[in-house]
Amino acid sequence: MSELLNQLNEAQQLAVKNIDGPVMVIAGAGSGKTRVLTYRIAYMLSKGVDPFNVLALTFTNKAAREMKERITALIGNEARNVWMGTFHSIFARILRVEGHFLGYPSSFTIYDNDDSKNLIKNILRDLSLDPKLYVPGAVLSRISSSKSNLVSAEEYSQNAEIQEQDRISNRPRLGEVFLHYKTRCFRAAAMDFDDLLYNTNLLLRDFPEVLFKYQQKFKYILVDEYQDTNYAQYLIVKKLAARNENLCVVGDDAQSIYAFRGANIQNILNFRKDYSDSKTFKLEQNYRSTKVIVNAANSVIARNKEQIKKEVWTDNDEGFPIRIIKASSDVDEGSKIADSIFETKMNHQLQNSDFAILYRTNAQSRAIEESLRRMNIPYRIYGGLSFYKRKEIKDLLAYFRLVVNPRDDEAFNRIINYPARGIGKTTLEKIELASLQYKISLFETASSPAHYLQGINAGTLSRIEEFSNMIAGFHHQVTRMNAYELGTKIARQSTLLKELASDDTDEGVMRLQNTEELLNALKDFSEKEQTLFPNEETGELTATEVTRTLDLFLQEISLLTDADNDDEDDNNKVVLMTIHAAKGLEFPYVYVAGMEENLFPSMMAINTRSEIEEERRLFYVALTRAEKQVTLSYAETRYRWGNMTMNEPSRFLEDIDESFLEQTTRRVSQKEFPGQPIMKKAPVFVKKPLLKSENTDNQAESGPATPPELIQPGVQVEHERFGRGKVISVEGNGPNIKATVFFNAVGQKQLLLKFAKLRLIG
């Protein structure tokens, strides 16, 4: 075993060898956490600890499987007898044996999310509750949160404060639904995922003989990613470890990013209070990243007040400075990221798989995906579907497809009763039979239901006619409205947006954001013939002249949604994922997109210090995924629900010590722009100005730019590159003021004044 320990650094050896008593291992990013857990278990077994007395809890099956394989490679098959797995898998295993104490057979069913939602839908129907108010996903989320905090259905229904919250949210009978849900699950001998934790707690709380049995069995307990445990998990671990207190928790408070799932950072912060005689070992040497990345990440996380202090360091190379890309829009951002990846790959002879693009929300992938496809850079979405393959996107696209081509039977089937409009399975079967009999499309059949369909009541006939008339009305407007106008109209009048907005769960919010992003894509597509894109150096605006309708949009994205011809086993692709999904992974080159206020940090997480600190920890996680280089990007403008919004760079950019930034980008200071307000919280990044000797020949004399609001029709102006000219017209307001100017040397130009920096003359 001494040979094995020689493969560890001094801090790792101490964490491995101290196997008795409570131990907390604070493992900085890239410090070999999994290696320490693996060697610690191997060391215990080599010292004679019975593997059947070891419990190792992880958060993913993959982590458990990899650890068990590594331990087996180190000491042999005895490792297979260690109780190692996820919280849910281990507790399900215990409940299979002990569940009879709670009235469950050993063969109980485990419901997944869809099973639970379907059950809630049936309960809502039985109680005559409106599913638009009691959205099944939102109801399930409320029940899940309660069980994670060990609040029973009975306690929920009797708690005055909770009942008042439900009344305010216009769901006063939610407690009744919870009670029915609990009863129906029990009657079906079923547990959902939350029940696996909740019922294990009941078992250990109410049956001392069961608690004693497993305290005796699990003499040594190890918990991975302890900062991600919720209240129910914390209590189970505390109870099981109470007798022997040979508990080792491993984690990093700086990477606690799952509060929205119920994770409680206080579990790791308070470990030393729970176990006053505990030992703490800090793994501070980073083996993953360059010095620049490690130190930049340190400068960021140092801003947080709630943390366990540590000094992460590395012996790796100094590395590349952190790059910052400023883009005019999210489309421009995607294009610049794709260009950067292509250039870096060519210059350094790299693989596509060396690159990862991380973002705060899944909706951001759309513009990035399109840019990568245009550059023929293969990519894959990690831990999620490609943007155009997500259900909510396919639902809205099905409406678009049917509007453009009413003979599209697949689109018809997908949306005829979504959102629900009272057209059931039996009716759909009759429509399909009539369609086959008369050899016409499903939509044509539905357009004259009284003629083609028999045995359908008047109410259902009316609903079918309403649907077909709605689609027909949209169809007649395909060539009359641009893609965005018609697409938005479809999304609203179909009530699809209303349906998505009614689900306030994290998943529901994400689906609504994705749908918003599709409408943003329509807006961008529709206005290509009239949207004027400024050149940052000259301010000149250019435009295309194509009328872009919904059918043209579908033609364009059909090229993006065709199945790739690449071998599915080919992993040589750029990886796209949310930062949450990236935790635990590493890549040589990492791009973090959308570094803007109200996006990252999220506008929903800036109300309290704890929320901001979690968002900063998320940024820390993003930075520390990189081995060689980090590139951060932000867009000055993004579409939100079809409206162009102006964005400030994220406050987190200011958290990075300037010495770690690429020299071609620097922060603007008040001295450089006297009289101009500079943001206090968020930095602005600009290209390093050219030296006088580098100026081009045709530039005008230098001088302060005139404020845009003073530029009026008829005045004489001077431009750095275009020389002197006369203002013909001015339109817009605020940061979007545009001017048409006739320049003596180059003719008429349209300029965005915030970029053009015109100077009044004469």
Side-chain angles (χ1 to χ4, degrees):
M1 194 66 203
S2 58
E3 294 180 2
L4 293 175
L5 291 178
N6 289 337
Q7 299 177 36
L8 305 174
N9 65 35
E10 184 178 351
Q12 291 173 334
Q13 286 186 26
L14 289 172
V16 165
K17 292 163 64 176
N18 282 270
I19 62 174
D20 295 319
V23 168
M24 178 168 63
V25 180
I26 300 299
S31 63
K33 169 179 69 70
T34 303
R35 187 179 183 86
V36 166
L37 273 170
T38 302
Y39 276 67
R40 182 180 172 89
I41 295 173
Y43 183 81
M44 286 193 296
L45 301 189
S46 73
K47 291 295 182 180
V49 173
D50 189 333
F52 287 99
N53 294 144
V54 178
L55 171 64
L57 297 167
T58 67
F59 274 86
T60 66
N61 288 309
K62 179 182 177 183
R65 185 171 57 252
E66 289 180 352
M67 285 173 58
K68 188 166 284 191
E69 289 173 354
R70 290 190 194 183
I71 299 168
T72 302
L74 290 173
I75 64 167
N77 288 330
E78 271 294 280
R80 300 184 184 277
N81 296 322
V82 173
W83 278 60
M84 182 180 295
T86 65
F87 282 88
H88 291 89
S89 66
I90 292 294
F91 299 153
R93 184 175 171 185
I94 291 174
L95 286 166
R96 294 287 183 201
V97 177
E98 315 294 350
H100 62 89
F101 284 95
L102 300 174
Y104 285 89
S106 60
S107 59
F108 66 82
T109 299
I110 298 176
Y111 277 172
D112 63 17
N113 205 53
D114 289 337
D115 295 324
S116 296
K117 281 186 179 179
N118 287 333
L119 176 55
I120 288 172
K121 288 176 184 177
N122 292 334
I123 292 169
L124 296 176
R125 182 197 62 211
D126 294 344
L127 296 177
S128 299
L129 294 175
D130 186 353
K132 293 178 181 177
L133 287 176
Y134 292 83
V135 179
V139 172
L140 181 60
S141 178
R142 185 76 164 164
I143 292 173
S144 173
S145 177
S146 298
K147 288 194 286 192
S148 293
N149 287 289
L150 303 183
V151 176
S152 70
E154 291 78 11
E155 290 168 335
Y156 184 100
S157 299
Q158 295 166 11
N159 185 294
E161 183 179 345
I162 293 175
Q163 294 308 302
E164 180 60 22
Q165 291 173 358
D166 287 346
R167 277 191 290 273
I168 292 172
S169 67
N170 207 23
R171 295 180 296 192
R173 296 178 65 187
L174 211 154
E176 187 179 353
V177 176
F178 192 175
L179 285 166
H180 277 268
Y181 178 78
K182 174 191 173 182
T183 301
R184 296 276 288 270
C185 283
F186 185 76
R187 193 170 66 198
M191 299 186 200
D192 63 20
F193 272 62
D194 296 302
D195 286 326
L196 297 177
L197 302 182
Y198 181 85
N199 286 334
T200 300
N201 266 292
L202 287 186
L203 196 63
L204 301 181
R205 184 194 72 186
D206 297 343
F207 300 92
E209 64 272 36
V210 176
L211 175 60
F212 180 76
K213 173 182 176 180
Y214 287 97
Q215 286 177 337
Q216 289 293 94
K217 180 174 182 60
F218 300 134
K219 291 182 170 62
Y220 293 86
I221 300 174
L222 302 93
V223 184
D224 190 15
E225 305 288 9
Y226 191 63
Q227 76 280 351
D228 294 334
T229 53
N230 62 23
Y231 181 59
Q233 292 162 331
Y234 163 80
L235 272 188
I236 293 171
V237 170
K238 190 170 176 58
K239 288 173 183 174
L240 290 176
R243 182 168 295 272
N244 299 296
E245 289 201 344
N246 293 323
L247 171 64
C248 174
V249 301
V250 182
D252 182 7
D253 59 292
Q255 298 184 66
S256 179
I257 59 174
Y258 294 121
F260 68 95
R261 295 181 188 169
N264 186 355
I265 191 174
Q266 297 303 322
N267 293 347
I268 194 167
L269 295 179
N270 292 334
F271 185 82
R272 284 174 290 192
K273 292 181 181 178
D274 289 339
Y275 303 94
S276 57
D277 60 338
S278 65
K279 299 174 184 176
T280 300
F281 302 99
K282 297 180 181 180
L283 308 182
E284 297 172 306
Q285 182 175 0
N286 181 297
Y287 291 94
R288 175 189 301 155
S289 307
T290 63
K291 285 186 172 69
V292 164
I293 294 170
V294 169
N295 292 329
N298 285 344
S299 70
V300 168
I301 203 62
R303 304 290 183 116
N304 275 9
K305 290 190 175 181
E306 275 207 307
Q307 61 174 298
I308 298 171
K309 293 294 183 181
K310 55 185 174 296
E311 296 294 332
V312 180
W313 59 278
T314 185
D315 273 338
N316 292 339
D317 295 337
E318 190 70 21
F320 302 107
I322 291 174
R323 300 175 57 205
I324 297 176
I325 295 175
K326 179 176 73 172
S328 60
S329 66
D330 52 346
V331 174
D332 184 37
E333 179 185 44
S335 178
K336 286 181 174 178
I337 288 174
D339 288 344
S340 175
I341 289 175
F342 182 82
E343 181 180 351
T344 305
K345 186 174 71 168
M346 292 299 103
N347 288 344
H348 299 283
Q349 300 299 301
L350 302 171
Q351 300 292 312
N352 293 314
S353 55
D354 290 328
F355 298 88
I357 305 172
L358 311 181
Y359 33 76
R360 182 64 179 82
T361 67
N362 277 311
Q364 293 171 250
S365 76
R366 190 266 307 173
I368 297 169
E369 287 186 62
E370 291 180 357
S371 295
L372 292 173
R373 284 181 178 272
R374 291 189 188 102
M375 293 287 291
N376 291 318
I377 298 175
Y379 68 89
R380 63 190 178 100
I381 304 289
Y382 183 97
L385 295 173
S386 174
F387 182 83
Y388 288 107
K389 293 180 181 179
R390 293 168 184 152
K391 179 188 180 300
E392 59 275 16
I393 301 303
K394 292 176 73 174
D395 288 337
L396 186 50
L397 288 177
Y399 271 96
F400 296 169
R401 285 167 47 193
L402 189 62
V403 166
V404 170
N405 175 21
R407 296 173 63 180
D408 188 334
D409 285 348
E410 291 299 315
F412 179 94
N413 269 327
R414 187 177 187 95
I415 65 173
I416 178 62
N417 198 41
Y418 183 77
R421 49 177 59 89
I423 301 174
K425 183 179 179 181
T426 301
T427 301
L428 291 178
E429 290 173 351
K430 290 182 178 180
I431 294 174
E432 289 176 355
L433 286 173
S435 172
L436 291 172
Q437 180 183 348
Y438 291 98
K439 298 181 179 179
I440 56 178
S441 69
L442 297 175
F443 180 80
E444 189 176 350
T445 305
S447 297
S448 302
H451 178 72
Y452 291 113
L453 304 177
Q454 305 298 319
I456 294 182
N457 64 53
T460 303
L461 285 175
S462 176
R463 288 190 287 271
I464 295 172
E465 287 177 343
E466 285 178 8
F467 172 77
S468 57
N469 289 339
M470 178 181 68
I471 297 298
F474 293 148
H475 178 67
H476 291 307
Q477 295 173 318
V478 168
T479 58
R480 301 174 187 176
M481 301 175 72
N482 69 36
Y484 174 70
E485 293 170 342
L486 182 55
T488 303
K489 187 175 182 180
I490 292 169
R492 288 175 178 161
Q493 292 188 11
S494 66
T495 70
L496 192 60
L497 286 182
K498 184 178 179 182
E499 174 82 2
L500 292 170
S502 67
D503 185 352
D504 58 3
T505 64
D506 291 320
E507 290 181 0
V509 170
M510 188 174 294
R511 284 192 288 268
L512 185 62
Q513 289 175 339
N514 289 337
T515 306
E516 173 197 350
E517 188 60 21
L518 178 58
L519 296 178
N520 290 343
L522 283 173
K523 181 76 170 181
D524 177 62
F525 176 86
S526 302
E527 294 194 347
K528 282 184 178 176
E529 80 283 10
Q530 60 196 35
T531 298
L532 304 172
F533 292 94
N535 180 301
E536 291 190 20
E537 294 182 5
T538 67
E540 183 179 6
L541 295 159
T542 58
T544 60
E545 299 179 353
V546 180
T547 300
R548 293 181 174 259
T549 51
L550 194 59
D551 55 335
L552 296 176
F553 176 77
L554 290 176
Q555 288 178 35
E556 181 166 292
I557 68 165
S558 67
L559 300 175
L560 303 180
T561 55
D562 284 340
D564 292 334
N565 294 323
D566 298 339
D567 182 355
E568 287 298 314
D569 294 329
D570 177 17
N571 290 322
N572 186 23
K573 298 177 181 180
V574 175
V575 172
L576 277 65
M577 70 179 82
T578 64
I579 304 170
H580 282 102
K583 187 168 175 289
L585 303 176
E586 56 188 45
F587 305 90
Y589 295 83
V590 169
Y591 290 74
V592 186
M595 294 299 304
E596 299 140 32
E597 283 294 296
N598 296 327
L599 181 55
F600 194 16
S602 167
M603 65 184 302
M604 294 185 291
I606 56 176
N607 299 311
T608 65
R609 177 180 298 280
S610 63
E611 289 177 346
I612 284 293
E613 293 203 347
E614 171 138 341
E615 289 286 294
R616 186 176 284 112
R617 291 194 295 270
L618 188 61
F619 183 42
Y620 176 83
V621 167
L623 291 173
T624 54
R625 297 312 93 198
E627 298 170 358
K628 297 181 180 298
Q629 187 170 34
V630 174
T631 302
L632 310 173
S633 65
Y634 67 96
E636 293 183 302
T637 62
R638 281 185 194 272
Y639 278 114
R640 289 191 62 81
W641 297 110
N643 296 317
M644 177 75 78
T645 60
M646 307 299 294
N647 304 314
E648 294 180 356
S650 170
R651 70 188 72 187
F652 295 152
L653 295 178
E654 191 178 47
D655 288 348
I656 304 172
D657 190 299
E658 198 167 43
S659 63
F660 305 121
L661 299 177
E662 192 176 64
Q663 289 303 302
T664 55
T665 56
R666 59 189 176 86
R667 295 188 179 101
V668 175
S669 71
Q670 185 71 39
K671 293 179 181 179
E672 294 175 87
F673 290 88
Q676 299 289 328
I678 299 299
M679 289 177 294
K680 293 181 179 179
K681 287 188 175 180
V684 176
F685 294 85
V686 296
K687 285 288 182 182
K688 192 174 183 180
L690 296 171
L691 299 175
K692 287 185 178 180
S693 61
E694 297 174 307
N695 286 345
T696 58
D697 296 334
N698 296 327
Q699 289 178 329
E701 297 178 8
S702 62
T706 300
E709 58 270 17
L710 298 182
I711 303 295
Q712 301 295 327
V715 302
Q716 298 289 327
V717 295
E718 194 168 44
H719 187 277
E720 283 186 345
R721 181 168 297 180
F722 302 142
R724 299 193 173 196
K726 181 179 180 180
V727 178
I728 299 172
S729 64
V730 177
E731 58 182 292
N733 52 61
N736 298 317
I737 298 177
K738 295 174 286 191
T740 301
V741 184
F742 184 85
F743 292 100
N744 300 332
V746 296
Q748 186 168 301
K749 297 284 186 182
Q750 191 169 26
L751 310 173
L752 191 64
L753 293 186
K754 73 171 183 177
F755 290 125
K757 296 182 176 60
L758 296 177
R759 186 170 65 88
L760 282 175
I761 58 175

